[in-house]
């Protein structure tokens, strides 16, 4: 069955450092991956979408990579700030237009 | 509206009762999705509408769950004979196009927290 794993449930990082979150998928070859941010009590907020033919995509302090050989996407936040603390979800779309989400990584940026 | 609106934000109901959860998507968004999220988990797909029709309802867990979108905008998720296991946050999302066309993701509402006691 399809499976999408995010490397850790929780990640703590010092302010100013680069946070790297990992998303691995199996038994499927998605055409693209999406990353979302979710704060407590709120719905996920779309951050970035990367296609299989794009190795890297950037948006301000965010960078996403997509390695179809390793079946992995990496999500980086450079110069992390306490306000970046949230849960980050990766997701891919299955053939029928529904997004399949990982369980998320809860990032805490320590001042 | 400016975002996806879901009402109520919280709903407590007794086991066996019927509930309706409402979603008001962003104006002009033709695609609408319902997801369910349990604590510590990612959102789990329930149903997808393109316009008025349910294009994919494969995520609905059983026949107690039903959703409609009669005029292609507002959608209602209906749960009959609620069970304690139905307790979760029910999220609605909408998108202008099918996700992946362009660089569009989904816009989610804040969800309805359903508690079945």
């Amino acid at each position: 069955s399809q499976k999408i794993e995010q490397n850790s449930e929780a990640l703590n990082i010092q302010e100013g450092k680069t946070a790297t979150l990992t998303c691995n998928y199996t038994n499927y070859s998605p055409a693209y991956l999406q990353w979302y941010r979710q704060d407590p009590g709120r719905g996920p907020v779309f951050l970035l979408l990367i296609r299989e033919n794009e190795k890297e995509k950037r948006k301000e302090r965010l960078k996403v990579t997509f390695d179809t050989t390793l079946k992995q996407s990496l999500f980086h936040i450079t110069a992390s700030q306490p306000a970046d603390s949230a849960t980050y979800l990766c997701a891919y779309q299955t053939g029928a237009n529904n997004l399949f989400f990982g369980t998320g990584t809860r990032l805490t940026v320590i001042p | 509206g400016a975002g996806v609106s879901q009402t109520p934000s919280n709903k407590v109901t007794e086991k066996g009762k019927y509930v309706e959860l409402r979603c008001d998507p962003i104006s002009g968004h033709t695609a609408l999705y319902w997801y369910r999220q349990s604590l510590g988990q990612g959102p789990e797909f329930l149903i997808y509408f393109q316009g008025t029709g349910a294009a994919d309802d494969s995520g609905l867990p059983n026949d107690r769950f039903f959703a409609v979108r009669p005029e292609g905008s507002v959608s209602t998720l209906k749960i009959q004979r609620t069970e304690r296991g139905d307790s979760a946050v029910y999220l609605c999302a909408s998108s202008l196009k099918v996700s992946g066309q362009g660089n569009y993701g989904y816009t989610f509402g804040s969800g309805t927290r359903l508690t079945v006691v």
Side-chain angles (χ1 to χ4, degrees), chain B:
Chain B
V4 176
S5 175
Q6 291 189 247
T7 54
S9 55
N10 279 287
K11 175 72 177 177
V12 180
T13 191
E14 290 181 350
K15 180 176 176 295
K17 298 289 188 184
Y18 167 82
V19 296
E20 289 190 352
L21 312 179
R22 176 188 166 108
C23 173
D24 205 333
I26 292 175
S27 178
H29 280 194
T30 57
L32 183 146
Y33 314 83
W34 282 99
Y35 281 78
R36 178 169 70 174
Q37 187 172 28
S38 301
L39 192 62
Q41 301 296 313
E44 173 192 19
F45 170 76
L46 295 176
I47 187 169
Y48 153 61
F49 287 90
Q50 184 61 40
T52 61
D56 183 354
D57 64 357
S58 62
L60 295 177
N62 51 59
D63 60 7
R64 295 186 297 105
F65 289 75
F66 189 70
V68 296
R69 195 186 184 197
E71 297 177 0
S73 56
V74 172
S75 176
T76 305
L77 178 66
K78 308 181 181 195
I79 310 174
Q80 298 177 322
R81 304 184 304 280
T82 51
E83 299 176 357
R84 291 197 179 87
D86 298 335
S87 297
V89 175
Y90 289 81
L91 294 164
C92 176
S94 68
S95 65
L96 183 60
K97 296 184 179 183
V98 170
S99 189
Q101 296 176 355
N103 285 306
Y104 300 100
Y106 295 2
T107 302
F108 281 85
S110 291
T112 294
R113 180 175 298 279
L114 176 67
T115 304
V116 182
V117 297

Side-chain angles (χ1 to χ4, degrees), chain A residues 32 34 36 38 41-44 46 49 51 57 89 93 96-99 101-103, chain B residues 33 35 37 41-43 45 48 56 91 98-100 102-106 108-110:
Chain A
Y32 50 86
Q34 301 186 23
Y36 287 77
Q38 187 171 26
R42 312 290 293 181
F46 172 71
L49 179 153
R51 290 186 170 73
K57 183 166 276 189
L89 297 157
Q93 183 169 309
N97 299 321
N98 43 302
L99 277 182
F101 282 88
T103 54
Chain B
Y33 314 83
Y35 281 78
Q37 187 172 28
Q41 301 296 313
F45 170 76
Y48 153 61
D56 183 354
L91 294 164
V98 170
S99 189
N103 285 306
Y104 300 100
Y106 295 2
F108 281 85
S110 291

